[in-house]
Amino acid sequence: MKKGFISLIIIFCASVLNIKAETIEVCTTCKITSIKEAIAIAKDFDTIIVKKGTYYEYDIVIDKPLTIIGENYPVIDGKLKGEIITIHSDNVTVGGFHIINVGISYTEDYAAIRIVKSKNFIIQNLKLEKLFFGIYLEKAKEGKILNNTIIGDAKQEYNSGNGIQLWYSKNIEIEGNYVQGVRDGIYLEFSDFCNITNNISKGNIRYGLHFMFSNNDVYKGNTFENNGAGVAVMFSKKIKMYNNTFKENWGSASYGLLLKEINDAEIIGNTFEKNTIGINIEGTNRINYKNNDFIRNGWAIKVRGACYANIFSGNNFLYNSFDLSYNSKMNDNVFDGNYWSNYAGYDLDKDGIGDVPYRPVKLFSYIVNRTPETIILLRSLFIDIIDFSEKVSPVFTPDDLLDNNPSIKKIEW
Amino acid sequence: MLKILKYSFYDLMRSRWSYVYFVFYLLLGVVLLFLNNNLSKAVITLMNVIIVLVPLIGTIFGVMYYYNSKEFTELLLAQPLKRSSIFLGQYLGVALSLSMSLILGLGIPFVFYGLFRSNDIWDFSLLLITGTFLTFIFTALAFNIALSNENRIKGFGYAILLWLFLAVIYDGLFLMSLILFEDYPLDKLSLFGTMLNPIDLSRTLILLKLDISALLGYTGAVFKKFFGTNFGLIVSIIMLSVWVVLPVLRIVYKSNRKDF
């Protein structure tokens, strides 16, 4: 009886030892010198630690739940041969690598790291350079992409990839990444319920962040600077955009934020500074714009048409060349209680609200819409005179487009 | 010529109008800065004032000075002096004293406000440079008008008309022609149109540094090339110089042939 009990304990311990995750070390002078080898001999839930060094490997397939960590940023060089890491398993953690030289192809989207149909993964602290696609999520769920640095050297749209791309993915958290010099910094296609927080996306050729057919996503606290266009949100529903900064997206066709065919979104607390066009909206409905700062943009908001039931309230429009541009006489949007630095009214009853309504659309912005070259007359005395006469009796601009309660002081929140 | 310049300059420095002009700019600068608390916004407002008021004052003052000092001019003409030096001396005297009032009047409040510690110093110096150019251009134009018209009332009338045309009517015609020909490529036409009017030219020159460059890039490649680089700045300044030189040459030509 006693003997049997001891043997039972021994068997139990042995089995515990057996399932206990092992740590496998990889380095250039170790027994195991490649990551592929380490993955081949590893069992489920093992940890692979890769020491500093350069590993010339590509097509690394991770097909079991593993934690692979680089110490002191070991370099994985793909020698431009193809994809570098592909993850086919749930519960994988990859972190701490410096991955360079991803293959470029016109038929396949090679990525530095691709996650295929997996759950609960964490991709963190990677440095990606000389890449085609950076981190590519394909039908992945419940994962995290944290604190990666992606620096591309894209020159043209047709032969470059995206920094972080999500395709049919759900519940992904993207936080603290830095993306620069790729086509789209972060690209979401058919991806719902994702959180994109505190990233910096800078100097990308197309968009800093791009949504396509993606719903219920939230992005907040991000900075989009000097991209072809800051953020493009297209054909999407219920996107929440909070406290982001869009700045210096400056150039012939640059936008801070481009909205096309999107419904029921919230745009709150963002800063748009020095963009050629702060927000360009086309075919958007029921969007709530609140407490945003528009500072020194060419056009703060450009409305292209088919925009209904949008509400703009409590925003600051500061020193923009044009506050608002409309291309039709129809208006179904509400402007209420904003601060306009161009407002010239008065406040006799001292309630902080101007007594005369403000007309944000000037005749000149209507003319510029029609004949863009006339912009050369900006700030001319003649233009001021016709703007004034249009303000007194609107003929060309929508006559019901008014802010009835313009704030006298800059709005703080 | 220098002696006449000196004389006209001191004469004008003693005159009440120079002080009024100086005090006006001083007040404008102080009010703008201390009510606005924003240097770069003040620069935009000042631009609006400069491109409208400086030409107006330049023209009126130039015509007025010419007619008022006519007797003295005739006295000088009796002396063994070159005609061109008499008129150029007077012209430079007026233009310099006006420019000085402008630069000091606007400069002093801005310097006190802390211009040298600000990034807007280039925008501001450009503003003063174009203001000075405009003074020289419009005083020269005024002298031309006065030299060609013996009748004071007519002279004043033409001067005001000239200002009105260049400051307001020209832009109206310009705008109409742009809208009329909107089916054609317009970028070259509009650049050309701007070059032909010194007020438009100074306005675009200042706006280049402020907000127009990216907005214009939106319009087409020609604009982008012209306004996106220093090329536009250099061409504009050369054109402004041409605008000074041509009327001055006409002053010399006209004064040599005029029968007093």
Side-chain angles (χ1 to χ4, degrees), chain A residues 188-208:
Chain A
L188 279 75
E189 198 172 347
F190 306 106
S191 295
D192 306 338
F193 303 102
C194 297
N195 277 320
I196 303 166
T197 324
N198 297 330
N199 302 284
I200 298 174
S201 189
K202 220 172 170 177
N204 298 301
I205 7 184
R206 200 165 65 182
Y207 303 123

Side-chain angles (χ1 to χ4, degrees), chain A residues 162-351:
Chain A
N162 303 325
I164 299 173
Q165 170 145 351
L166 276 61
W167 188 69
Y168 280 110
S169 297
K170 272 201 174 71
N171 297 317
I172 308 290
E173 213 165 282
I174 302 175
E175 197 175 335
N177 300 287
Y178 178 92
V179 190
Q180 183 190 322
V182 288
R183 184 172 59 193
D184 286 347
I186 302 169
Y187 179 42
L188 279 75
E189 198 172 347
F190 306 106
S191 295
D192 306 338
F193 303 102
C194 297
N195 277 320
I196 303 166
T197 324
N198 297 330
N199 302 284
I200 298 174
S201 189
K202 220 172 170 177
N204 298 301
I205 7 184
R206 200 165 65 182
Y207 303 123
L209 169 62
H210 188 182
F211 292 90
M212 274 284 186
F213 313 106
S214 299
N215 306 324
N216 298 302
D217 299 309
V218 181
Y219 68 96
K220 56 185 173 191
N222 303 288
T223 303
F224 305 99
E225 200 177 326
N226 202 10
N227 300 296
V231 175
V233 185
M234 302 181 183
F235 308 100
S236 299
K237 276 181 260 180
K238 294 181 185 159
I239 307 274
K240 293 187 167 65
M241 319 176 198
Y242 299 144
N243 304 325
N244 301 288
T245 304
F246 305 76
K247 63 179 177 186
E248 281 157 45
N249 298 298
W250 203 223
S252 45
S254 284
Y255 310 104
L257 174 57
L258 170 65
L259 303 178
K260 194 177 165 68
E261 303 294 332
I262 91 158
N263 297 325
D264 305 298
E266 276 179 11
I267 301 177
I268 299 176
N270 301 287
T271 305
F272 298 85
E273 197 171 348
K274 287 193 180 173
N275 304 292
T276 305
I277 298 174
I279 306 185
N280 187 72
I281 56 181
E282 192 173 345
T284 64
N285 305 311
R286 299 179 298 280
I287 294 181
N288 199 1
Y289 299 80
K290 211 175 156 190
N291 296 351
N292 300 292
D293 277 333
F294 297 88
I295 309 169
R296 288 199 202 193
N297 302 289
W299 284 267
I301 296 174
K302 200 161 189 169
V303 180
R304 301 270 194 189
C307 299
Y308 303 101
N310 299 296
I311 299 170
F312 299 80
S313 62
N315 302 291
N316 287 319
F317 291 84
L318 308 168
Y319 324 121
N320 303 295
S321 299
F322 300 100
D323 286 332
L324 186 60
S325 150
Y326 254 65
N327 65 354
S328 70
K329 280 194 71 180
M330 266 277 291
N331 174 42
D332 188 48
N333 304 311
V334 180
F335 292 84
D336 197 46
N338 300 290
Y339 172 74
W340 312 85
S341 64
N342 288 336
Y343 180 61
Y346 44 81
D347 178 24
L348 288 182
D349 51 5
K350 300 268 177 223
D351 59 352

Side-chain angles (χ1 to χ4, degrees), chain A residues 114-131:
Chain A
R114 178 188 298 270
I115 296 115
V116 185
K117 295 182 187 163
S118 308
K119 280 197 291 196
N120 301 324
F121 55 86
I122 301 175
I123 310 289
Q124 59 187 359
N125 304 324
L126 296 178
K127 283 185 196 166
L128 311 182
E129 264 173 86
K130 300 201 175 111
L131 57 124

Side-chain angles (χ1 to χ4, degrees), chain B residues 63-223:
Chain B
V63 174
M64 210 163 72
Y65 185 82
Y66 177 87
Y67 287 130
N68 276 345
S69 61
K70 205 165 177 193
E71 275 140 35
F72 175 64
T73 314
E74 274 162 13
L75 183 74
L76 282 179
L77 284 169
Q79 311 297 318
L81 286 169
K82 265 175 74 185
R83 276 188 167 197
S84 59
S85 63
I86 295 173
F87 289 99
L88 280 186
Q90 286 188 343
Y91 159 66
L92 287 177
V94 175
L96 279 179
S97 71
L98 285 179
S99 315
M100 212 178 77
S101 305
L102 172 76
I103 291 172
L104 287 183
L106 285 183
I108 290 171
F110 274 79
V111 167
F112 275 113
Y113 189 77
L115 179 72
F116 293 116
R117 277 174 280 119
S118 153
N119 297 326
D120 291 314
I121 184 157
W122 292 113
D123 296 346
F124 185 73
S125 354
L126 190 67
L127 202 67
L128 289 186
I129 290 170
T130 41
T132 313
F133 263 119
L134 282 176
T135 311
F136 274 83
I137 292 168
F138 279 88
T139 319
L141 290 174
F143 265 71
N144 270 304
I145 289 172
L147 272 168
S148 313
N149 291 288
E150 281 300 305
N151 187 336
R152 281 175 186 225
I153 305 296
K154 252 188 173 173
F156 269 108
Y158 284 133
I160 301 259
L161 205 64
L162 173 81
W163 173 79
L164 198 65
F165 179 76
L166 288 180
V168 183
I169 300 171
Y170 184 88
D171 285 352
L173 295 175
F174 193 14
L175 182 66
M176 296 235 290
S177 55
L178 285 181
I179 291 177
L180 210 63
F181 298 114
E182 66 181 351
D183 296 337
Y184 301 91
L186 287 171
D187 28 20
K188 290 214 172 96
L189 173 75
S190 47
L191 279 185
F192 189 67
T194 317
M195 292 294 157
L196 289 185
N197 180 348
I199 295 183
D200 275 356
L201 194 58
S202 352
R203 187 171 44 78
T204 33
L205 189 61
I206 297 167
L207 286 183
L208 268 186
K209 288 278 158 248
L210 297 177
D211 52 357
I212 207 171
S213 49
L215 297 189
L216 280 171
Y218 191 75
T219 328
V222 175
F223 275 14

